[in-house]
Structures are given as structure tokens and as C-alpha cells.
Amino acid sequence: MMKKLFTLLLLTLISQKFYAQQLPAPEKQRSYMVKAMLQIADPVLQALSKNELKQTMPVEAKSPNNAKWTHLEAFGRTLAGIAPWFALGADDSPEGKLRAKYIQLAQLSLKNATDENAKDYLNFTDGGQPLVDAAFLAQALLRAPDQLWKPLDKQTQANIIKALKTTRKIKPYYNNWLLFSATVEAALLKFEGSCDLMRVDYAIKEHLNWYKGDGVYGDGPDFHWDYYNSFVIHPMFLDVLQTLIGAGIKEQETYAKELKRAVRYAEVQERLIAPDGTYPVIGRSMAYRFGAFQLLSQIALMKALPKNVLPQQVRCALYTMVKNQIEAPNTFDKNGWLTIGVYGHQPELGETYISTGSLYLCSQVFLILGLPDTDEFWVAPNANWTSRKVWSGESIAIDKALKE
């Protein structure tokens, strides 16, 4: 009996050591994540900063209509994911110099995207989709105001405000889209000092009504098995409420409730990541790839992870996930643009609303890069995440539902 226990213990220790040896040192994980983020973002920001996005970006889509708004999709989604990294500001370190370069590209891109006389002036009004990606653009501005708003010239600021306001003509669907309207209004409140609070209040109240329990909201009145609680709902809900509180509007009670629910959902997300860094392919929009784990990244950025989830285990899990998918053959085309798929190029996984620009929502997984390289998240020794612990024989805490 003792011999069997000893053998089991030895195998457990060997498997743990094996998993740890598979992962590079923490600083190399950060370096890789920065490189991966810029590999995704560079084609978009380089082209738009030169007024060449419409000219150079391919449009892979099932519907030709997507070409009308795919460029705004690519820009807004890319910027929303990279913004927390920008918020660290420029410095004399190699990474700080990279930030300086890409912050400048982003500022030029904002100018061209909203200048009606520019070749790359983007579509904020034709169709319904521009509301979605104006919201991601607004979210980016909220996440890095000192880098993406304050340095802009007055005319560009005015152009952005005008572009955001033009999306008011688009009626949101009765689902997560309400948060797109709310996020646009939150940005207007932040940067102009006023907004249509009715649109914000409506989104807040309806989402509270759509709560299904255990950290999950319905996408509208109905429950969906998909990742929209992470793609949109929790991240934008948190950002909107934070903005309201910052403007002196008393939403602290709602924010505390929503944060508790978001933390629970992030806890579930961490458990969904398999030992090899894969995850269940369930529901719509899986071509957004690892953007499905935006919420886990955001809660880590906020330093609000539950006590039983160490920052370094989230780091190791997300690093492994990103590496798996970023290095899959044909994830990028020959010119470096993302292709439709989850693992490489799988065009059949693109819904009718998916196009090349849509895919850049994957950038949202990089919110963790908004934590400085000295933070515990980036320096603590490698650690197994929950599923690796379980399947290597380690002990873990029993999972418990959130009952409020």
C-alpha cells in the first residue's frame, strides 16, 4: 500500500515538474505576449496611420456587405485590446520604446479614421454594425485616455465626438447591443461631460433583469451557450459603471454587484482552460479566438482574481492558449492579416456577420499587458492552472456557485 502511495506521489511530482519545464520563464512569457499582440495589431495600425487601411486590408467574408464596416471593426477591436498596454506610457526600456511607437501610430490612426476628408475615414453610420465597433473604439479611449485622447489635437477630438454621436441613429438590438450604446455614451460623458443617460440606464437595468445566476447574464432575455459574457457583457458593463462612478454618478452598489458576478465568471473561465491550453468551442463567434477570454484577462488586470486563482496560473494559462493559436499554420495570411478560424484557417467557422475586421476582437486577451512587468502577475514563478492541477494529481479547492 505504501509503495503504491509513494509511486503515485512520485508520478504527481514528475508531472508537475514536467508541466513547469514546458513553460519558459515569466519574463519570456511577457515578451512573447507583447510580440504576439503587436503581430496582430501592426498591420492595422501601420496601414491606418498612413491612410492605407482600406487599400491594403483583405476582406474575407461570407457577405459582401461586411466590407462596409470591416475596417472600423479591425481598428476599434485592436485598439480596445492594446489600450491598457498603452496606458503604461512610454519609457526608455525596450518595451517602453515600442509603446511610444505604437501610441503614435494609434494617434495618427484616430485622426485618419475620423477625418471626413481622409482616404481612410471610417463608416460610423451605414448599417447596424458601426455601433458595435464605435463602442469598441470608445472602450479603447476609456482604457487609455492619457495616451489616446489627451494628446490629440482639438480638431481630432471634435471629429471623434462627432463620429461617436452619429451612431445614435442606429437602434441597438434587444440584447448585448444595449451595452454598445451605453459604452458610446460613457465615452461621451467622459470626454465631453454629458451624454444620453437614458441609453445608459436602460442598458444597466435590462442586463440586471437578464441575470441568470452564477455570474452569467442572458444575451437578452434568453440564455446562450457562448462566450458573449466575456466578449462584451461583463467587460463593457464594468467599464460603463466605472465611468459613471468617475463622473460622480452613484452606481457603486450596482458596480459592486456586477464586479462580484464578473469575478465569478472569470473563475469559471480559468477552469475552462484545458491542460494543453485549449478550451470548449461553443456558440457563436468562435473566430474571435482567444478574445473569448477577455474577461479573465480584465479581472487579472484589475487585480480582482478570486483568492483560489493565483495571478501566475492565469498568466501561464493565457500564454499557453495564445501560443497554441498564434502559431497554428495559416492563422495569418501571407501579408500578416488574420484569417477566419479558431486553429489556423477554418473559414467554415465564420458566421455571416464575420469578416476580417471582426477577428481582431482576439486582441482583448492582451489586457493583462496593462500590468507593468514588475507586477506579481509577470514575475511570480510558473504555476499550473486549475485543469493542469487536477490532471496531474494535485489538490484543488471545490468549486462553488455564486448564489446572488
Side-chain angles (χ1 to χ4, degrees), residues 12-260:
T12 299
L13 291 172
I14 290 172
S15 66
Q16 291 175 21
K17 184 176 180 181
F18 173 71
Y19 280 140
Q21 287 175 342
Q22 282 183 307
L23 295 171
E27 65 272 15
K28 291 187 177 180
Q29 291 177 41
R30 181 180 177 93
S31 177
Y32 183 92
M33 293 291 270
V34 170
K35 181 180 178 182
M37 177 181 68
L38 296 180
Q39 183 179 2
I40 291 166
D42 185 77
V44 177
L45 298 182
Q46 289 282 3
L48 186 52
S49 67
K50 298 173 185 175
N51 262 320
E52 296 175 355
L53 184 63
K54 293 179 182 178
Q55 174 186 332
T56 59
M57 192 179 99
V59 181
E60 181 185 10
K62 291 180 180 177
S63 170
N65 285 336
N66 293 342
K68 294 179 181 179
W69 47 71
T70 192
H71 305 96
L72 178 58
E73 287 185 295
F75 181 47
R77 296 171 187 217
T78 297
L79 209 59
I82 202 171
W85 185 64
F86 285 165
L88 293 175
D91 57 49
D92 290 332
S93 69
E95 188 180 312
K97 290 177 181 177
L98 274 177
R99 277 197 296 274
K101 172 186 174 180
Y102 283 94
I103 288 169
Q104 183 179 29
L105 291 179
Q107 292 169 356
L108 289 170
S109 295
L110 283 164
K111 178 180 177 65
N112 292 335
T114 58
D115 180 356
E116 294 181 7
N117 296 313
K119 289 190 295 183
D120 269 345
Y121 175 63
L122 299 181
N123 167 27
F124 287 88
T125 57
D126 187 3
Q129 188 65 31
L131 171 60
V132 176
D133 296 291
F136 283 117
L137 182 61
Q139 190 177 38
L141 298 173
L142 291 172
R143 287 172 170 175
D146 291 342
Q147 290 73 31
L148 296 178
W149 177 259
K150 291 181 181 178
L152 300 178
D153 62 82
K154 296 298 182 183
Q155 185 58 57
T156 299
Q157 289 181 345
N159 289 344
I160 292 171
I161 294 294
K162 181 180 179 180
L164 293 178
K165 285 183 176 179
T166 61
T167 65
R168 286 173 170 170
K169 66 177 284 188
I170 302 170
K171 182 180 178 180
Y173 297 112
Y174 189 58
N175 54 20
N176 72 86
W177 277 49
L178 297 183
L179 284 167
F180 298 136
S181 292
T183 302
V184 168
E185 296 301 324
L188 292 172
L189 177 63
K190 171 77 172 178
F191 301 117
E192 196 180 41
S194 63
C195 71
D196 184 348
L197 279 175
M198 184 177 296
R199 295 171 187 256
V200 181
D201 289 341
Y202 185 52
I204 291 172
K205 289 175 182 177
E206 291 307 285
H207 277 83
L208 292 175
N209 288 336
W210 295 335
Y211 184 62
K212 303 303 180 185
D214 204 16
V216 178
Y217 291 94
D219 188 6
D222 299 325
F223 170 77
H224 293 250
W225 269 117
D226 57 31
Y227 289 90
Y228 270 77
N229 271 264
S230 183
F231 286 142
V232 175
I233 296 171
H234 281 299
M236 287 195 172
F237 206 173
L238 288 169
D239 289 349
V240 166
L241 290 170
Q242 286 175 329
T243 305
L244 295 179
I245 292 169
I249 298 173
K250 296 181 179 180
E251 287 288 356
Q252 285 84 352
E253 184 177 343
T254 303
Y255 178 74
K257 181 184 294 184
E258 158 53 16
L259 179 59
K260 185 178 292 187

Side-chain angles (χ1 to χ4, degrees), residues 206-392:
E206 291 307 285
H207 277 83
L208 292 175
N209 288 336
W210 295 335
Y211 184 62
K212 303 303 180 185
D214 204 16
V216 178
Y217 291 94
D219 188 6
D222 299 325
F223 170 77
H224 293 250
W225 269 117
D226 57 31
Y227 289 90
Y228 270 77
N229 271 264
S230 183
F231 286 142
V232 175
I233 296 171
H234 281 299
M236 287 195 172
F237 206 173
L238 288 169
D239 289 349
V240 166
L241 290 170
Q242 286 175 329
T243 305
L244 295 179
I245 292 169
I249 298 173
K250 296 181 179 180
E251 287 288 356
Q252 285 84 352
E253 184 177 343
T254 303
Y255 178 74
K257 181 184 294 184
E258 158 53 16
L259 179 59
K260 185 178 292 187
R261 293 170 177 178
V263 170
R264 170 56 183 162
Y265 192 83
E267 182 178 34
V268 171
Q269 284 212 302
E270 191 273 342
R271 287 174 174 258
L272 287 176
I273 303 172
D276 61 354
T278 59
Y279 51 89
V281 179
I282 299 174
R284 303 166 291 158
S285 305
M286 292 310 302
Y288 298 161
R289 291 184 171 91
F290 34 70
F293 289 78
Q294 173 182 194
L295 195 272
L296 177 58
S297 188
Q298 185 171 18
I299 294 301
L301 173 65
M302 296 170 65
K303 302 181 79 66
L305 291 169
K307 292 180 180 179
N308 62 309
V309 179
L310 298 174
Q312 59 265 39
Q313 71 187 66
V314 174
R315 180 193 75 226
C316 292
L318 293 180
Y319 163 81
T320 304
M321 176 192 297
V322 169
K323 192 173 190 298
N324 280 349
Q325 291 177 276
I326 207 89
E327 295 182 6
N330 301 315
T331 294
F332 301 92
D333 71 10
K334 63 180 181 180
N335 295 314
W337 298 93
L338 287 169
T339 64
I340 295 173
V342 174
Y343 188 79
H345 189 208
Q346 299 162 313
E348 69 279 3
L349 294 180
E351 289 88 349
T352 56
Y353 55 84
I354 295 291
S355 65
T356 300
S358 316
L359 312 177
Y360 287 83
L361 197 146
C362 71
S363 301
Q364 302 276 16
V365 79
F366 298 110
L367 301 184
I368 47 174
L369 288 170
L371 293 167
D373 58 11
T374 55
D375 189 88
E376 176 191 13
F377 186 93
W378 292 110
V379 300
N382 292 340
N384 289 337
W385 53 99
T386 299
S387 66
R388 273 200 171 187
K389 289 178 180 178
V390 170
W391 299 109
S392 63

